[in-house]
Amino acid sequence: MRAAAFQSDPIPWEEHLAWFRRKREDPNCLLYILSDQRGDPIGQVRFDVGEDRRAEVDISIARSQRGRGYGTAALCLACDQLFRTDKAREAVAYIKPQNTPSIQAFESAGFAREGTGRAMGHEAVRMTRRPVP
């Protein structure tokens, strides 16, 4: 999972816990925990909503659960819920160009490629999804 991230260096556990606490308390952060049919956790979708009402999306699926369509399904459900909250006017994702499975999952979930840019100093594909009127 970290290899596909823009910040791939290991994160000390205490630092991660502090970050997670901040995210849970942030009213502009929406965090959805994904579970399989048995209720076992398999990943997460997170939206960080900016003042411009753009929600940057982050998704991670457990390695053992990848390739089963969970990512696409989770993105569809999470975006639908995001737009029902009326907090965001669009969801934006930045993906490493070589991460083809992720790009395909986002496309299957209704995201459109809107060019390239930079994210955390790396080249990135910019993808967006807007609510269906």
Side-chain angles (χ1 to χ4, degrees), residues 74-87:
L75 286 167
C76 288
L77 291 169
C79 284
D80 290 347
Q81 182 61 34
L82 168 72
F83 296 136
R84 276 195 290 275
T85 69
D86 200 36
K87 283 188 169 215

Side-chain angles (χ1 to χ4, degrees), residues 1 14 28 39 41 50 57 76 81 86 97 100 111-113 118 123:
M1 210 172 332
E14 290 301 320
N28 294 315
V57 61
C76 288
Q81 182 61 34
D86 200 36
T100 304
F111 280 75
R113 291 185 200 212
R118 299 201 62 79
E123 183 181 345

